[in-house]
Amino acid sequence: MQGKERTFTPQVEKVWNKDYQCEYYRGVIIDGEDNIVERCTRTYSSYDAALDEVRKKMAYSPLYYRQAGADIKEKLEEYKKKKAIEEKKNAVVVFDTDEFGEWKYMYEPKDGGVLYRFRYKNQMSEASTFLSAKSGSSAVVPLIANEVYRKGESDKIFYESRIRSEYDIEKLPGHKDIWKITSIVNVSQNKNQDSKVTVRYLKFGNLTKEFKKREQKKTIVIKRKWVFYNDLMEYIHNYADIR
């Protein structure tokens, strides 16, 4: 004879915080007989934050998810989808082709979500590969190639960690060419099925001249061959606040 199937539900209990001398909240999982089967470790001043944590615990635990009731499973699936969208919207994401001379793209979640397009003077990992391949019997060229590569990697890490706002861009040392995309004018496809995206943007640049900041409009091509093509187009349409 089979035992009674257990069902689990996320709830919140009140906990007295001795340090702050007030009530806090902690997520708990209860079974079908209102027994607490597990408590979350953290406590929160916010009821919603505590409920969010216990829902996450249930949604990603095979033990509780598998045995949850149909209505709770549906709610947990909705929760997982919602959390995945929130995590995407709240994370810095860099789209890098790793091709010499090609632009990098970066999504920054601050200010409602901003998309940047940038390049820098020592963006030369492919250039170092070319130099190494053409070195022949010369012992000097591989050393130059290695130095070019290291400098390019160093600049890449530096710029990706520092492009966060207009103020940060203006204070960046060295040579740069950075676009802050402010609006999408049009999206279409060319015969290769690459996406042609017409954008308005603020250009911060001094690769060839004295540093300038100016507003411009231009059509850029997002190439379908890029492994991140679908993800980048998703950010353009759904996440960056550039309608």
Side-chain angles (χ1 to χ4, degrees):
M1 182 176 179
Q2 289 185 339
K4 184 179 179 180
E5 183 179 353
R6 299 181 72 189
T7 59
F8 298 96
T9 306
Q11 286 194 10
V12 172
E13 68 176 0
K14 292 181 180 179
V15 180
W16 184 254
N17 188 303
K18 294 180 181 179
D19 295 330
Y20 296 106
Q21 291 294 297
C22 63
E23 288 182 334
Y24 263 49
Y25 301 95
R26 175 169 55 202
V28 296
I29 299 173
I30 66 170
D31 63 15
E33 298 176 354
D34 288 335
N35 299 310
I36 295 177
V37 295
E38 188 167 351
R39 287 181 168 90
C40 294
T41 304
R42 286 192 62 181
T43 60
Y44 297 86
S45 59
S46 165
Y47 177 97
D48 290 339
L51 184 59
D52 186 69
E53 182 184 13
V54 72
R55 282 176 174 168
K56 182 176 182 179
K57 189 178 189 68
M58 284 194 64
Y60 293 96
S61 168
L63 172 64
Y64 297 118
Y65 180 83
R66 185 173 59 248
Q67 299 181 54
D71 57 333
I72 294 297
K73 273 190 177 181
E74 186 175 341
K75 290 179 181 178
L76 292 177
E77 281 298 323
E78 290 177 3
Y79 172 82
K80 282 198 282 189
K81 291 176 183 177
K82 180 182 175 184
K83 290 301 291 183
I85 292 172
E86 287 179 358
E87 287 171 3
K88 269 191 171 183
K89 289 181 68 173
N90 294 321
V92 175
V93 183
V94 177
F95 302 97
D96 186 355
T97 65
D98 201 28
E99 296 176 10
F100 172 57
E102 193 58 80
W103 291 82
K104 321 293 183 189
Y105 294 85
M106 185 176 76
Y107 169 78
E108 162 58 53
K110 290 181 180 177
D111 302 322
V114 179
L115 194 67
Y116 293 98
R117 186 178 193 244
F118 67 98
R119 58 183 175 172
Y120 40 82
K121 189 173 183 180
N122 294 295
Q123 187 175 307
M124 302 185 73
S125 60
E126 287 294 319
S128 67
T129 302
F130 174 79
L131 285 172
S132 297
K134 296 295 183 180
S135 61
S137 60
S138 172
V140 177
V141 176
L143 294 176
I144 296 174
N146 188 49
E147 177 61 24
V148 167
Y149 178 79
R150 287 206 316 270
K151 181 60 176 171
E153 287 297 296
S154 175
D155 281 1
K156 173 184 174 182
I157 294 169
F158 178 78
Y159 280 93
E160 288 175 4
S161 66
R162 291 286 297 277
I163 300 174
R164 293 294 180 271
S165 68
E166 290 186 23
Y167 175 82
D168 293 330
I169 293 171
E170 291 173 1
K171 297 299 180 183
L172 279 174
H175 293 81
K176 64 254 182 189
D177 192 1
I178 302 169
W179 297 11
K180 178 183 179 181
I181 297 175
T182 57
S183 66
I184 300 293
V185 178
N186 186 56
V187 178
S188 61
Q189 287 190 340
N190 62 22
K191 61 182 180 180
N192 297 324
Q193 293 194 324
D194 296 333
S195 287
K196 296 169 64 178
V197 183
T198 303
V199 301
R200 287 192 179 90
Y201 62 97
L202 282 174
K203 178 182 174 67
F204 304 82
N206 65 350
L207 278 184
T208 56
K209 299 179 181 178
E210 184 178 340
F211 180 82
K212 289 184 179 181
K213 171 185 172 181
R214 56 190 182 276
E215 191 168 15
Q216 294 183 270
K217 174 182 172 183
K218 191 170 184 178
T219 297
I220 59 179
V221 176
I222 308 299
K223 298 179 182 178
R224 190 169 289 275
K225 71 174 184 177
W226 293 342
V227 293
F228 55 75
Y229 170 85
N230 289 331
D231 289 330
L232 179 53
M233 292 304 298
E234 183 180 10
Y235 275 90
I236 287 174
H237 286 298
N238 299 327
Y239 298 108
D241 187 20
I242 47 178
R243 301 292 179 265

